[in-house]
Amino acid sequence: LFKASSHSSQPSIFNPQFLTASWIALATALLFISHPLQTQAVTYIVQRFASLAALFYLLAVVCYLKWRLDSSEDRSRYLWYAGALLSTILAMKTKENSFTLPLMLLLIEFVFFRPIRGKEWASLIPFLLTLPLIPLSYPGAIDAAEAGLAQETTEISRGDYLFTQFRVIVTYIRLLFLPINQNLDYDHPIYHSLFASPVFFSFLFLLFLFGLSLYLLSYSRRFSPNSQTLNFQLIAFGLLWFFLTLSVESSIIPIRDVIFEHRLYLPSAGFFLACIIGIQGALEILKTRFHYHLFFAFIIVISLSFATYQRNGIWKDEVTLWQDVVQKAPNKARGRNNLGLAYKNMGRLEEAIQEYQTALQLKPDYADAHYNIGNAYRDQGRLEEAIREYQIAFERQPNFAKAHNNLGVVYSNQGRLEEAIQEYQAAIRLQPDYAEVYNNLGIAYSDQGHLEKAIRAYQTALQLQPDYAEAHNNLGVIYGNQGQTEEAVREFQMALQLQPDHVKAHYNLGLAYESKGMLQAARSEFEQAL
């Protein structure tokens, strides 16, 4: 889309005409990689989906442009077309926001290659045919009651979600310009009317930006192509990229969490492009020298990089991350609950219980918090209080299989084996593929002396989760008690292969070796256990 100047036989690095394409590409890329808002998409492991989808999305666009701009008759150019189509499929199989990719290619044709002729329309058809991949790949996201429209939650209506997103998108734009008070878990209000003042003024602002992009696009078509009209096209394209790539997650498809920073990973690429073109144009109007452009960019990138370094420091462990969330959103129950989990994982049970209690004050029907405080009480030996919390948890959330399982563990510890078995069976009815429950059920049957039932329970656990070291060890114990020493040794060895530091498996394998007269091997296993 850019041509280097050919007026000088020895172009200077400080010649803006010579470096227009390279400068815009480099500056946009540096903004993209150094901006602290990208931290969540990179550091938050689950959001590798967002970054991987962005990779395939951008690769599809690059390959399509390489194919589109190659006017040769060489058939090898169609490798770029095939690469674009393959990248489109991979993007759609990675994350739902890639649904917009065929529409993005259509936008590219409309903005840069207009008019679209029959041949170009034909080349877009295979990309448009990939659109059903999203609903076919994510059938769980389809709400049949609403004519097949995707909907992650029914707690927020489509209208309320759309009104809220007007405000959310403005927050996104503010964060792109001024990345302060970033948060993993925002406590964002849900709006129920377009005429709520924050929503209405946000709507007007977004309407202005969208209208500006259309105006710049229209204005650029009135004149013969030159650097100014191309700049207007690129600003318009960057803004439209931003709106289009956000449209899946910020429109009428309700998602339980109305705002997340990682959703900006892909949209920010177009936004940064528009910003760089705008800054470039402003500096040229001011007739500043090109090395001032470089100095200005250097200051911005260094500042953003420092902010990114600081933001990553928040993510160094669970406690610092959730303390940051609680500090910025003190009235949101989920942050309190997750900070409690972080404290529990560090063995700080009293602090964990305080956070769970605060979460329940903020949201009394919060089943997860009842479940987690039950776990903390169990670890403290306060079994009756733990039982009460587990019961409240599955009263609040009837399909809470984990609460039934852990209640069964407490009953088992109290010797109430029949009640424990009932809870395990309730958990299995709710979640038939829950391997841990079958393992616990096997322990209860074993304690009752029902060894065959115990063996079947352990075997089911291992069918569901073949790498379950604890189930292998427990099955080995049953075989050992039945005199099936070879089978017992095999199970203990398998447990240790999966988990070399499994103390009980080392001890049990030592007992098995001792029973076979292999005293040196037994001694070795006992020493490992110690």
Side-chain angles (χ1 to χ4, degrees):
L1 297 176
F2 301 93
K3 297 294 183 183
S5 171
S6 59
H7 296 302
S8 172
S9 59
Q10 292 184 330
S12 166
I13 193 171
F14 295 111
N15 184 339
Q17 290 181 318
F18 176 71
L19 276 183
T20 297
S22 301
W23 159 249
I24 291 172
L26 176 62
T28 303
L30 288 175
L31 272 184
F32 181 82
I33 65 169
S34 64
H35 201 286
L37 207 60
Q38 312 293 39
T39 302
Q40 188 166 310
V42 176
T43 310
Y44 185 13
I45 296 299
V46 172
Q47 292 314 320
R48 61 188 180 274
F49 291 118
S51 53
L52 186 62
L55 167 67
F56 291 134
Y57 199 107
L58 292 166
L59 183 60
V61 170
V62 169
C63 289
Y64 184 84
L65 284 172
K66 293 284 284 185
W67 168 78
R68 192 68 174 80
L69 292 168
D70 189 344
S71 58
S72 70
E73 296 299 323
D74 190 349
R75 289 186 177 181
S76 64
R77 66 187 285 261
Y78 286 97
L79 290 174
W80 291 112
Y81 182 86
L85 186 58
L86 176 61
S87 297
T88 299
I89 294 170
L90 292 173
M92 289 196 173
K93 295 295 286 183
T94 303
K95 193 170 174 65
E96 295 92 324
N97 63 349
S98 301
F99 184 81
T100 61
L101 184 44
L103 306 179
M104 182 61 70
L105 300 181
L106 185 61
L107 177 65
I108 288 171
E109 287 286 346
F110 179 77
V111 172
F112 299 113
F113 299 105
R114 194 179 178 189
I116 307 176
R117 300 180 180 88
K119 183 179 179 181
E120 285 75 37
W121 276 113
S123 67
L124 285 170
I125 288 174
F127 293 95
L128 294 171
L129 290 176
T130 65
L131 288 172
L133 280 175
I134 295 293
L136 290 176
S137 299
Y138 306 97
I142 299 299
D143 184 356
E146 296 206 25
L149 290 174
Q151 184 166 356
E152 191 216 32
T153 180
T154 57
E155 295 175 5
I156 309 172
S157 71
R158 296 189 187 279
D160 290 351
Y161 190 80
L162 178 62
F163 300 145
T164 303
Q165 286 307 304
F166 290 143
R167 186 61 185 161
V168 166
I169 295 173
V170 172
T171 300
Y172 286 155
I173 294 172
R174 193 270 298 169
L175 287 167
L176 287 166
F177 279 116
L178 192 64
I180 59 175
N181 290 326
Q182 288 182 248
N183 196 355
L184 170 64
D185 196 6
Y186 288 84
D187 189 7
H188 199 285
I190 305 297
Y191 293 99
H192 305 285
S193 170
L194 176 63
F195 298 104
S197 57
V199 176
F200 186 68
F201 288 114
S202 297
F203 171 73
L204 292 180
F205 175 69
L206 296 176
L207 189 62
F208 165 76
L209 282 184
F210 187 74
L212 176 64
S213 63
L214 297 181
Y215 171 77
L216 292 176
L217 198 57
S218 174
Y219 182 84
S220 67
R221 298 190 186 284
R222 299 178 196 171
F223 304 97
S224 58
N226 56 53
S227 62
Q228 185 182 40
T229 58
L230 180 56
N231 283 348
F232 287 160
Q233 279 182 302
L234 286 169
I235 293 173
F237 176 71
L239 292 175
L240 292 172
W241 172 293
F242 176 77
F243 284 117
L244 182 58
T245 51
L246 259 183
S247 62
V248 170
E249 294 168 315
S250 292
S251 56
I252 59 169
I253 302 173
I255 303 174
R256 189 171 290 103
D257 295 295
V258 297
I259 179 171
F260 260 139
E261 291 174 5
H262 63 256
R263 293 175 187 164
L264 277 180
Y265 191 72
L266 179 60
S268 66
F271 191 87
F272 291 144
L273 172 65
C275 288
I276 290 298
I277 299 290
I279 293 171
Q280 172 90 353
L283 292 173
E284 287 180 358
I285 290 172
L286 295 173
K287 300 187 183 303
T288 58
R289 295 183 179 182
F290 191 63
H291 58 270
Y292 288 129
H293 297 208
L294 294 176
F295 179 75
F296 184 64
F298 177 79
I299 293 299
I300 291 177
V301 170
I302 290 297
S303 300
L304 291 174
S305 298
F306 179 75
T308 299
Y309 176 81
Q310 294 289 99
R311 181 62 187 161
N312 267 297
I314 301 296
W315 286 77
K316 68 180 181 180
D317 60 48
E318 290 178 290
V319 172
T320 56
L321 179 62
W322 290 108
Q323 283 177 339
D324 180 72
V325 169
V326 165
Q327 181 183 354
K328 294 170 180 173
N331 296 320
K332 189 164 187 179
R334 185 165 61 183
R336 297 285 185 176
N337 177 67
N338 289 349
L339 179 57
L341 277 173
Y343 284 143
K344 180 183 181 296
N345 291 339
M346 295 181 68
R348 297 159 63 176
L349 290 180
E350 285 300 332
E351 291 169 278
I353 290 170
Q354 289 176 9
E355 294 300 330
Y356 297 143
Q357 289 172 338
T358 303
L360 290 171
Q361 289 171 4
L362 295 169
K363 187 178 178 182
D365 62 347
Y366 195 1
D368 282 345
H370 283 291
Y371 169 76
N372 288 329
I373 200 171
N375 290 339
Y377 286 150
R378 184 191 66 187
D379 291 348
Q380 287 185 328
R382 299 158 65 178
L383 299 186
E384 291 303 324
E385 291 170 275
I387 289 171
R388 184 181 68 249
E389 294 299 333
Y390 291 139
Q391 290 172 336
I392 296 173
F394 56 71
E395 284 172 8
R396 299 287 188 271
Q397 186 178 319
N399 62 345
F400 205 157
K402 285 185 176 182
H404 283 286
N405 175 64
N406 285 18
L407 179 56
V409 170
V410 173
Y411 283 151
S412 185
N413 291 340
Q414 291 181 323
R416 299 158 66 178
L417 296 179
E418 282 300 330
E419 292 169 276
I421 289 170
Q422 290 175 10
E423 294 301 327
Y424 296 144
Q425 290 172 339
I428 289 169
R429 285 193 295 272
L430 294 169
Q431 191 175 332
D433 61 348
Y434 196 171
E436 183 182 341
V437 180
Y438 281 102
N439 179 66
N440 291 336
L441 182 60
I443 294 171
Y445 281 142
S446 178
D447 290 343
Q448 284 186 328
H450 301 319
L451 300 187
E452 292 303 321
K453 288 184 178 180
I455 289 173
R456 286 197 296 272
Y458 292 139
Q459 289 174 338
T460 303
L462 291 170
Q463 288 171 4
L464 295 170
Q465 188 178 327
D467 62 349
Y468 196 172
E470 190 67 29
H472 279 291
N473 175 70
N474 292 342
L475 183 56
V477 170
I478 298 286
Y479 286 147
N481 291 337
Q482 290 183 327
Q484 299 173 262
T485 307
E486 292 299 330
E487 289 81 354
V489 168
R490 185 183 67 244
E491 294 301 329
F492 297 141
Q493 289 175 336
M494 182 61 71
L496 290 171
Q497 182 179 336
L498 294 167
Q499 188 179 329
D501 63 347
H502 197 303
V503 176
K504 289 183 179 179
H506 278 293
Y507 175 72
N508 291 332
L509 182 56
L511 291 176
Y513 283 151
E514 185 180 19
S515 69
K516 294 178 66 177
M518 301 168 61
L519 301 185
Q520 189 59 42
R523 176 174 177 170
S524 176
E525 293 303 325
F526 294 144
E527 287 174 345
Q528 287 290 326
L530 289 172

